[in-house]
């Protein structure tokens, strides 16, 4: 007689589906100010508790509390507010432009604006970021040309990437923004390699890599962690846990009974789990990790707990797989509203200034869009010259390509 019941495969399911409000208790939250801040030279194994708790600074009243509540220059917070607002307004305008068939594709970062903008301000401008496709806030914080960004989206004749990249896959070397790859997780390995090269050269620059919760299931993620640990690469490894891949819940990638930050500790990497909708917490954790990297103490893995408030992309309809009003119930709130509350309470912002800055940024983005559209949009044929396909491939063009270009008559 068989004493065992038939085996059953466990398939994780989200705690909310269309028509059923999400139960967010799975997030393992704690109140602001409760999580300790260790010294920067802490041993990775001694960050295990930090990888399962949640570092938060802003409480429900907008007060900055606890050991991670650094004395941040109010001007930095104001810069952060502008960068977040600019990102959100830009996203809104570009989604409309995509619906008007001016570009083929767009991905917004609604609800995630604090993560890229705060870390960009915490890093040095010469540090290299290896982003995924939802970190346009880094470019906003580093004040990259909006016209150049929109020309890339429109794939027009002034597209700095000459139509070779899907819209939103920017590349801005001078702003420390490495080329975005459509192959998920590759940027993690690239960032670790770049950081190792910086250390080999005896440089002072560090790298910062970004990945989504779903892409942590890729083998490149684990390879990057191994190399980062073994060689103590000066790199920050950011995991943006926004709860959803394109249509699958984060538990499918392994976030159901553990945390993504916990994987870092298991690989010998100092790890933090942070409220990604708390600008001050993001800034403080990023500075801590950057200081650790610059002192030669090795990598830090940070899981940013946030929520993808909008569709995965303009090709996605999230109402098919999750409650339509999920974001309004997300317990960590809106990052812009939370920083606004803090700044107003501390006397460094006002409702009137908020409205004025919003109007100013809307005008700036609209002006840039009009200028970019003069160089063409997706539908009017103003695209990079056919001759450009032969450029930027080899340092010196080989003879067979030279002949092909001549035959093409360009």
């Amino acid at each position: 007689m068989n004493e065992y019941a038939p085996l059953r495969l466990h398939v994780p399911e989200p705690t909310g589906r269309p028509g059923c409000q999400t139960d967010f208790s799975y997030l393992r939250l704690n109140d602001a100010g409760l999580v300790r801040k260790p010294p920067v030279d802490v041993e990775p194994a001694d960050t295990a508790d930090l990888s399962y708790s949640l570092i938060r600074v802003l409480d429900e009243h907008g007060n900055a509390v606890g050991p991670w509540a650094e004395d941040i220059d109010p001007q930095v917070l104001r810069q952060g507010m502008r960068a977040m607002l600019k990102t959100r307004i830009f996203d809104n305008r570009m989604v409309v432009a995509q619906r008007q068939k001016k570009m083929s594709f767009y991905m917004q970062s609604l609800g995630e604006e604090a993560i890229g903008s705060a870390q960009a301000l915490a890093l040095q401008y010469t540090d290299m970021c290896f982003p995924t496709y939802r970190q346009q806030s880094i470019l906003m914080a580093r004040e990259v040309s909006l016209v150049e960004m929109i020309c890339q989206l429109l794939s027009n004749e002034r597209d700095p990437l000459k139509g070779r990249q899907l819209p939103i896959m920017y590349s801005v070397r001078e702003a420390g923004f490495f080329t975005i790859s459509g192959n998920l997780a590759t940027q993690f390995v690239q960032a670790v390699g770049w950081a190792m090269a910086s250390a080999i050269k005896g440089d002072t620059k560090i790298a910062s890599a970004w990945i989504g919760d779903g892409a942590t299931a890729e083998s490149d993620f684990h390879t990057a962690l191994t190399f980062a640990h073994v060689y103590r690469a000066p790199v920050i490894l950011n995991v943006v846990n926004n709860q959803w891949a394109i249509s699958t819940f984060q538990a499918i990638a392994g976030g159901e009974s553990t945390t993504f930050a916990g994987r870092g500790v298991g690989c010998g990497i100092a790890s933090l789990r942070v409220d990604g909708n708390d600008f001050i917490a993001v800034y403080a954790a990023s500075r801590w990790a950057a200081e650790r990297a610059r002192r030669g103490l090795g990598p830090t893995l940070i899981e940013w707990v946030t929520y993808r408030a909008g569709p995965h992309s303009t090709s996605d309809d999230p109402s098919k797989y999750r409650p339509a009003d999920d974001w309004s119930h997300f317990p960590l709130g809106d990052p812009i509203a939370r920083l606004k509350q803090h700044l107003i309470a501390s006397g460094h912002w006002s409702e009137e200034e908020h409205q004025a800055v919003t109007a100013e940024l809307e005008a700036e983005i609209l002006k840039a869009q009009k200028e970019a559209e003069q160089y063409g949009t997706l539908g009017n044929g103003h695209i990079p010259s056919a001759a450009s396909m032969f450029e930027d491939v080899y340092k010196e063009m080989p003879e067979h390509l030279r002949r092909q270009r001549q035959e093409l008559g360009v």
Side-chain angles (χ1 to χ4, degrees):
M1 181 176 178
N2 193 339
E3 61 182 297
Y4 300 107
L7 295 172
R8 299 184 65 182
L9 189 67
H10 173 67
V11 180
E13 283 288 336
T15 60
R17 282 294 191 187
C20 175
Q21 185 172 315
T22 298
D23 176 5
F24 284 109
S25 61
Y26 72 87
L27 287 172
R28 305 181 184 89
L29 305 182
N30 48 255
D31 291 336
L34 294 183
V35 178
R36 68 184 180 92
K37 183 179 182 180
V40 74
D41 60 353
V42 65
E43 288 295 318
D46 293 331
T47 63
D49 62 312
L50 303 177
S51 69
Y52 286 89
S53 53
L54 189 69
I55 296 170
R56 307 178 69 185
V57 173
L58 293 175
D59 66 16
E60 60 182 5
H61 303 295
N63 300 312
V65 298
W68 291 87
E70 296 185 355
D71 186 19
I72 303 173
D73 185 341
Q75 186 56 34
V76 172
L77 299 180
R78 289 171 58 85
Q79 284 180 269
M81 176 60 80
R82 289 184 66 95
M84 288 196 292
L85 282 171
K86 193 173 184 179
T87 303
R88 186 166 295 184
I89 296 167
F90 184 86
D91 279 350
N92 287 338
R93 292 290 313 176
M94 295 307 107
V95 168
V96 171
Q98 191 279 333
R99 297 309 189 203
Q100 294 172 336
K101 301 184 179 180
K102 293 179 179 179
M103 66 185 73
S104 62
F105 183 78
Y106 193 74
M107 300 181 78
Q108 60 181 331
S109 60
L110 181 62
E112 302 178 32
E113 296 91 349
I115 301 170
S117 57
Q119 186 165 115
L121 292 170
L123 297 177
Q124 295 179 8
Y125 196 84
T126 53
D127 294 330
M128 183 63 76
C129 297
F130 289 75
T132 182
Y133 40 65
R134 225 179 291 278
Q135 277 79 56
Q136 51 266 52
S137 54
I138 295 174
L139 297 174
M140 300 301 175
R142 293 188 168 181
E143 299 184 353
V144 168
S145 165
L146 293 176
V147 174
E148 293 294 311
M149 289 178 65
I150 298 171
C151 283
Q152 195 280 325
L153 296 171
L154 299 175
S155 305
N156 63 22
E157 59 188 20
R158 194 175 152 180
D159 176 1
L161 304 182
K162 302 177 182 179
R164 297 172 179 173
Q165 281 277 73
L166 185 73
I168 61 87
M169 292 189 177
Y170 310 102
S171 178
V172 192
R173 181 176 181 176
E174 60 273 18
F177 195 91
F178 199 83
T179 309
I180 295 176
S181 173
N183 297 315
L184 299 183
T186 57
Q187 65 273 15
F188 245 48
V189 179
Q190 293 161 353
V192 172
W194 192 96
M196 289 170 61
S198 183
I200 290 169
K201 292 187 296 184
D203 209 334
T204 59
K205 304 183 186 73
I206 67 173
S208 175
W210 301 81
I211 200 170
D213 52 274
T216 62
E218 297 279 351
S219 59
D220 283 350
F221 170 78
H222 302 279
T223 300
L225 264 58
T226 299
F227 273 78
H229 158 65
V230 170
Y231 297 102
R232 295 184 184 174
V235 61
I236 304 174
L237 300 167
N238 300 283
V239 177
V240 180
N241 181 4
N242 63 12
Q243 315 310 312
W244 290 92
I246 188 167
S247 60
T248 57
F249 188 55
Q250 54 94 24
I252 291 289
E256 183 178 43
S257 56
T258 185
T259 67
F260 294 101
R263 298 185 185 184
V265 177
C267 289
I269 297 173
S271 302
L272 309 174
R273 187 169 177 263
V274 182
D275 179 350
N277 289 12
D278 181 337
F279 182 93
I280 297 179
V282 176
Y283 185 84
S286 296
R287 284 190 58 176
W288 186 88
E291 183 70 11
R292 186 176 174 84
R294 274 186 236 285
R295 289 192 186 185
L297 297 170
T300 302
L301 186 147
I302 308 177
E303 177 186 348
W304 305 107
V305 180
T306 183
Y307 190 78
R308 170 166 63 76
H312 178 77
S313 70
T314 50
S315 304
D316 176 42
D317 179 4
S319 68
K320 300 293 185 182
Y321 53 83
R322 70 184 195 194
D325 62 346
D326 244 12
W327 190 38
S328 63
H329 299 291
F330 187 63
L332 297 181
D334 181 336
I336 292 178
R338 291 176 66 186
L339 183 59
K340 174 185 173 184
Q341 181 188 32
H342 172 74
L343 283 172
I344 291 176
S346 57
H348 300 297
W349 199 254
S350 67
E351 188 62 53
E352 293 73 23
E353 183 173 11
H354 192 85
Q355 294 176 7
V357 170
T358 298
E360 172 197 336
L361 294 173
E362 286 175 341
E364 179 185 350
I365 291 166
L366 181 59
K367 180 182 177 182
Q369 182 180 356
K370 288 181 177 179
E371 181 179 346
E373 288 180 1
Q374 293 177 1
Y375 301 100
T377 66
L378 178 67
N380 64 16
H382 292 284
I383 60 176
S385 164
S388 67
M389 76 173 75
F390 297 95
E391 300 168 356
D392 306 320
V393 179
Y394 295 94
K395 182 178 180 180
E396 296 181 4
M397 189 181 299
E399 184 56 32
H400 75 282
L401 289 185
R402 198 179 305 278
R403 288 196 304 270
Q404 288 181 21
R405 181 173 180 174
Q406 290 172 348
E407 291 172 4
L408 189 61
V410 295

